Amino acid sequence: METASEINALGYIGIQSQRLEDWSGFATRLLGMQPVDRGGGTRAFRMDDRKQRLVVSDRDGDDAGFFGWEVTDAAALERLAARLERHGTAVHRGTRQLADERHVADLISFRDPAGNPLEVFHGPAIADTPFAPARPISGFKTGPLGMGHVVLNVEDVEPLLPFYRDLLGFRVSDYGLTPYKLYFFHVNGRHHSFAMVGSGRRGLHHFMVELYSLDDVGQGYDLAQLDEGRVAFTLGRHTNDFVTSFYATTPSGFFVEYGWGGRVIDPATWQPHETFDGPSFWGHDRLYMEPESRARLREMRLSAAARGVRAPVPDCPWLDAVTGRGTSVQKT
């Protein structure tokens, strides 16, 4: 049974790593984020009018330090906190100092059943100055869709489903069951803001940021190829959210997906479904994988291509009249 969710967007991400200077170079020169002046062992970065979206702290681990999920107001925060506590989740009320560090009005923190650190907040602070990207880009697609999405490696998806779906109220977009369980969830119109991969491992697999221009992604791809080993997935397009992207290896070893053209759904009418066509229409060759695993994914892409699987063509009456085709050739 799914619960109505107070959470409406992914607001921010915190990373713990001792490679602060490497992260600063990665976030600015490749991703195009704007550095924020933060002292000591913290580096923060802007993506839009918010005071910060990505925070990197000088700590051991090279993994996610926290995921910040947004709610509308203080009442929504209290409702969620109360529901979590009723179901046995230990909830910590954020101090004034922590709220100031996160640049929010108030927040709570807790962990999912696998130990992943989560925060929920309301009242994000807006910067006094316009966003100024560190390299020429059109900007990041955020707003009501949030910062992007995060994907976690988990040992087993099944024990976590009741927590995210039934307790937090994340809604299933689609899922795959082979060769491993993979669930995608939405909290707004973005096809997914969160996903879990039952890989048998633990930790952050990647987070995604979306650009307004495909050229931003292509130029980022050129920049990434200048660094040996930086490109983890080649340029490609996903079958479920239609994002065209590449994946870059971060200084911490997990990935960032740098994408464009994400699918926007209607949460009120969307129906969750199982997917069978593999993760990508084309591309996304996983350069870090062993040859056998890469070959298996390549065969899935070639099979989808042989069956004519592709994203729906945008509505265009002129094109429909010329080709005599409908606007979609893929089952959704």
Side-chain angles (χ1 to χ4, degrees):
M1 180 183 65
E2 294 190 0
T3 299
S5 178
E6 287 83 10
I7 293 171
N8 56 39
L10 174 64
Y12 55 75
I13 295 174
I15 304 300
Q16 51 191 30
S17 174
Q18 294 184 325
R19 299 174 171 87
L20 293 185
E21 294 310 311
D22 292 340
W23 263 103
S24 292
F26 177 82
T28 56
R29 291 192 292 272
L30 178 57
L31 303 184
M33 295 181 179
Q34 177 184 347
V36 178
D37 185 18
R38 292 284 294 270
T42 302
R43 302 289 185 273
F45 306 91
R46 287 179 59 188
M47 294 173 57
D48 52 15
D49 61 349
R50 300 280 178 95
K51 283 197 171 182
Q52 64 185 24
R53 287 286 195 177
L54 177 66
V55 180
V56 184
S57 301
D58 185 8
R59 295 177 185 170
D60 292 333
D62 277 316
D63 201 355
F66 49 84
F67 302 107
W69 296 96
E70 186 170 356
V71 296
T72 305
D73 52 29
L77 187 67
E78 287 304 315
R79 285 195 301 271
L80 179 59
R83 187 163 71 246
L84 288 165
E85 289 174 332
R86 283 198 307 271
H87 288 81
T89 298
V91 175
H92 303 281
R93 308 289 170 145
T95 63
R96 183 69 260 159
Q97 178 181 348
L98 182 60
D100 289 344
E101 290 176 4
R102 300 287 193 263
H103 292 290
V104 300
D106 197 9
L107 77 159
I108 59 174
S109 62
F110 51 95
R111 291 182 178 270
D112 73 12
N116 295 297
L118 308 179
E119 297 179 357
V120 177
F121 71 93
H122 78 91
I126 304 302
D128 297 327
T129 57
F131 171 63
R135 69 174 180 87
I137 58 173
S138 61
F140 296 96
K141 190 173 183 179
T142 56
L145 300 178
M147 177 181 173
H149 72 235
V150 294
V151 177
L152 293 181
N153 280 308
V154 299
E155 293 178 346
D156 185 1
V157 167
E158 289 297 330
L160 294 170
L161 273 176
F163 181 83
Y164 282 99
R165 182 191 59 202
D166 305 331
L167 187 54
L168 292 187
F170 287 17
R171 288 150 285 181
V172 176
S173 299
D174 51 54
Y175 59 94
L177 300 179
T178 58
Y180 41 73
K181 291 183 179 179
L182 174 59
Y183 275 77
F184 296 86
F185 302 83
H186 59 273
V187 296
N188 53 48
R190 193 184 292 279
H191 174 272
H192 62 278
S193 294
F194 176 69
M196 295 186 290
V197 185
S199 61
R201 301 188 299 274
R202 298 178 64 177
L204 180 58
H205 182 276
H206 76 268
F207 68 85
M208 185 278 285
V209 293
E210 185 176 358
L211 286 297
Y212 278 113
S213 170
L214 179 59
D215 291 335
D216 293 335
V217 175
Q219 290 166 355
Y221 191 51
D222 281 346
L223 290 172
Q225 291 178 89
L226 298 177
D227 295 339
E228 182 70 26
R230 182 67 71 195
V231 175
F233 295 41
T234 61
L235 193 69
R237 193 178 194 194
H238 282 305
T239 54
N240 62 352
D241 68 357
F242 304 158
V243 167
T244 299
S245 62
F246 71 94
Y247 290 59
T249 304
T250 70
S252 295
F254 57 81
F255 311 125
V256 168
E257 182 182 4
Y258 203 64
W260 167 85
R263 184 181 202 171
V264 177
I265 66 172
D266 180 358
T269 60
W270 183 262
Q271 294 297 314
H273 57 276
E274 186 176 354
T275 59
F276 302 94
D277 293 316
S280 303
F281 292 116
W282 53 269
H284 286 153
D285 188 16
R286 283 127 168 98
L287 302 181
Y288 67 94
M289 279 187 172
E290 294 299 320
E292 182 178 346
S293 298
R294 289 174 64 182
R296 183 173 68 249
L297 288 166
R298 186 184 308 116
E299 286 303 316
M300 295 179 77
R301 297 194 299 272
L302 293 174
S303 172
R307 290 178 284 114
V309 176
R310 61 195 67 199
V313 178
D315 290 336
C316 178
W318 175 85
L319 181 62
D320 294 344
V322 170
T323 63
R325 296 183 303 180
T327 60
S328 176
V329 293
Q330 183 196 342
K331 241 189 311 188
T332 58

